[in-house]
Amino acid sequence: MAVEKERLQMKNKMRRQKLFAALKHEENKTRHLERKTRAKEERANPELKEKRLAENVPDTIESKRVFDETIGQEFEGEDDFNSYFDGKEPKILLTTNANANKVAYQFADIMMEILPNATFVKRKREYSMKDMAEFCNNRDYTDLIVINEDKKNVNGITFIHLPEGPTFYFSVSSLVEGNRIKGHGKATDHIPELILNNFATRLGKTVGRLFQSLFPHRPEFEGRNVITLHNQRDYIFFRRHRYVFRNEEKVGLQELGPQFTLKLRRIQKGVKEEVEWEHRPDMDKDRRKFYL
């Protein structure tokens, strides 16, 4: 302690650095000696190692997670997606923000490949979200998806479940197109199997229902296409794969692309009206609590 105090009081920077290096060297020597002694003792008495490992379980974000009372809760009564689960086929209109650049249209092409029953319409500047929702309702669309691009970067995507919402807004990051993935395959036009992982809370189940409502509830397994949405600490990782078989046995998954990450930022009850849930920056400070 006295040596450390002396180091902090030194005015010469080079002398401080030299003394700091010497202190670290002594600390490392002491630590290595302790490890060597402990290893020798544990070789002689294996029970000591078992006891040490049992007592020194490292903390992780998951182990420190606060229990969420909404985990495992089921829906009571009807929700906004019941019509889909009653057999209604999805019919999706896809567009962009006004004055979108080329990257937004490229991402729209990607989404068109992913989503069955999707139609792209170029956004006109004078049309608001409510105008577009009304246009869709008059033509029996079930969902409106709006890609947001800023400074030639796709940074968000809005899902409006029709006829009256809710509206979901996700930020988009870490986009990797299929042709940039090493060893990628080529997807077919078959309706994919949808896999949702770790959407455990009540909010998570609502988000899961949104994604389920975008795909026909009759996957064509012969196409071997599968889309996985994996929720980890409120980040949703999107992956598209194809089952690979050898001698009629499933042996793994081949990446098809694209890959990207979604993060839920806001849920609104209607078409961009009253906010029902919104992500706040302070939610990221305590990583013991997750919402999806």
Side-chain angles (χ1 to χ4, degrees), residues 60-244:
T60 64
I61 291 179
E62 292 299 330
S63 67
K64 292 164 65 177
R65 180 172 177 174
V66 177
F67 175 74
D68 192 320
E69 64 279 0
T70 68
I71 290 179
Q73 284 189 6
E74 299 297 330
F75 287 99
E76 296 179 3
E78 296 187 353
D79 71 0
D80 297 297
F81 303 98
N82 267 3
S83 60
Y84 164 76
F85 293 96
D86 287 340
K88 188 174 183 179
E89 284 282 301
K91 181 182 176 184
I92 302 165
L93 189 139
L94 181 66
T95 189
T96 67
N97 60 311
N99 298 324
N101 283 300
K102 182 179 178 181
V103 291
Y105 296 116
Q106 290 173 336
F107 190 72
D109 289 339
I110 291 171
M111 294 299 292
M112 289 286 290
E113 290 181 7
I114 293 169
L115 297 169
N117 304 338
T119 302
F120 179 79
V121 175
K122 188 173 181 179
R123 172 82 171 270
K124 291 186 177 180
R125 185 185 182 93
E126 62 269 24
Y127 289 161
S128 67
M129 286 284 198
K130 288 190 175 182
D131 292 334
M132 292 188 294
E134 184 178 356
F135 174 91
C136 291
N137 282 330
N138 291 336
R139 291 160 179 80
D140 295 324
Y141 284 98
T142 61
D143 296 271
L144 169 64
I145 299 177
V146 182
I147 297 166
N148 192 71
E149 169 266 330
D150 184 47
K151 298 178 181 177
K152 298 183 179 181
N153 181 48
V154 173
N155 61 357
I157 187 165
T158 300
F159 296 86
I160 302 176
H161 189 67
L162 302 170
E164 298 177 347
T167 299
F168 298 76
Y169 176 73
F170 296 84
S171 58
V172 178
S173 61
S174 305
L175 172 63
V176 181
E177 296 180 22
N179 56 13
R180 293 171 52 198
I181 299 173
K182 186 177 180 180
H184 70 90
K186 185 174 178 61
T188 65
D189 293 332
H190 294 87
I191 296 172
E193 178 185 358
L194 181 65
I195 298 176
L196 301 176
N197 289 331
N198 205 28
F199 291 82
T201 67
R202 188 168 179 83
L203 177 60
K205 290 176 187 291
T206 300
V207 174
R209 299 271 279 189
L210 163 70
F211 292 126
Q212 288 175 317
S213 72
L214 299 175
F215 295 88
H217 210 195
R218 44 180 179 82
E220 297 171 334
F221 295 107
E222 65 272 21
R224 301 183 293 169
N225 295 334
V226 55
I227 287 176
T228 302
L229 289 160
H230 175 69
N231 173 45
Q232 184 173 353
R233 300 171 190 168
D234 293 346
Y235 287 91
I236 301 170
F237 299 97
F238 177 97
R239 298 292 184 270
R240 184 165 60 154
H241 313 274
R242 179 173 60 191
Y243 289 121
V244 178

Side-chain angles (χ1 to χ4, degrees), residues 253-272:
L253 293 170
Q254 180 186 29
E255 288 276 359
L256 302 177
Q259 301 173 353
F260 54 87
T261 302
L262 300 170
K263 187 172 178 65
L264 180 63
R265 298 295 179 178
R266 191 181 310 115
I267 297 179
Q268 292 165 286
K269 287 185 177 180
V271 180
K272 297 201 73 174

